[in-house]
Amino acid sequence: MSEKKNVLKDKSFNFAIRIINLFKYLSTSKNEYVLSKQLLRSGTAVGALIRESQNAESKADFIHKLAVAQKECDESIYWIELLYHTEYLSSTEFESINNEAIEILKIIRSIIITSKNK
């Protein structure tokens, strides 16, 4: 991934900010602590792992770190879906953050596939 403009790094950082704000909203306005805490952990881990991958010791390490980021992103989608289906998130809130997570997941998967094929 290029150091000049790293779209995935930027998107995952902005996603983490949204997750933190969503956690604050859910815990203060909806008194929901369990699911939102799980989402906070997985949603912020995505960007941290992507950052880690930038300093990977090898191609295999790079792929591994992105694979873990992929798992955390998919887990975040699970918690987002659960929060929606238990009516903690409106359909508008759900669509927005879920679409963002899916977009990040697709980018990560694409980078992993490309890296494996090189």
Side-chain angles (χ1 to χ4, degrees), residues 30-53:
K30 302 277 187 167
N31 293 321
E32 198 301 304
Y33 305 99
V34 178
L35 303 176
S36 58
K37 185 72 169 201
Q38 294 285 2
L39 177 59
L40 178 66
R41 288 181 179 148
S42 63
T44 55
V46 176
L49 287 157
I50 288 165
R51 288 274 179 108
E52 271 189 63
S53 75

Side-chain angles (χ1 to χ4, degrees), residues 65-77:
K65 285 181 176 19
L66 284 183
V68 177
Q70 176 182 254
K71 290 177 185 179
E72 293 291 341
C73 193
D74 202 31
E75 180 182 336
S76 298
I77 292 169

Side-chain angles (χ1 to χ4, degrees), residues 56 84 89 98:
Y84 172 67
L89 295 178
N98 191 59

Side-chain angles (χ1 to χ4, degrees), residues 2-116:
S2 172
E3 282 296 313
K4 295 174 190 165
K5 180 69 177 152
N6 191 325
V7 174
L8 181 58
K9 183 176 162 185
D10 294 344
K11 284 184 180 293
S12 63
F13 185 78
N14 291 329
F15 180 69
I17 291 170
R18 287 193 70 190
I19 292 295
I20 291 166
N21 288 329
L22 179 56
F23 171 77
K24 289 192 283 187
Y25 164 74
L26 290 169
S27 59
T28 58
S29 299
K30 302 277 187 167
N31 293 321
E32 198 301 304
Y33 305 99
V34 178
L35 303 176
S36 58
K37 185 72 169 201
Q38 294 285 2
L39 177 59
L40 178 66
R41 288 181 179 148
S42 63
T44 55
V46 176
L49 287 157
I50 288 165
R51 288 274 179 108
E52 271 189 63
S53 75
Q54 299 301 287
N55 298 301
E57 297 174 9
S58 65
K59 180 178 163 182
D61 187 36
F62 174 76
I63 292 168
H64 173 72
K65 285 181 176 19
L66 284 183
V68 177
Q70 176 182 254
K71 290 177 185 179
E72 293 291 341
C73 193
D74 202 31
E75 180 182 336
S76 298
I77 292 169
Y78 172 79
W79 295 121
I80 292 165
E81 289 172 351
L82 203 53
L83 285 162
Y84 172 67
H85 288 287
T86 54
E87 300 179 359
Y88 284 105
L89 295 178
S90 70
S91 58
T92 306
E93 293 164 332
F94 167 74
E95 293 282 329
S96 175
I97 200 154
N98 191 59
N99 288 343
E100 190 172 342
I102 290 170
E103 182 181 359
I104 291 168
L105 185 62
K106 287 178 179 178
I107 295 169
I108 294 169
R109 285 183 176 156
S110 176
I111 292 168
I112 290 171
I113 289 166
T114 301
S115 297
K116 284 181 177 180

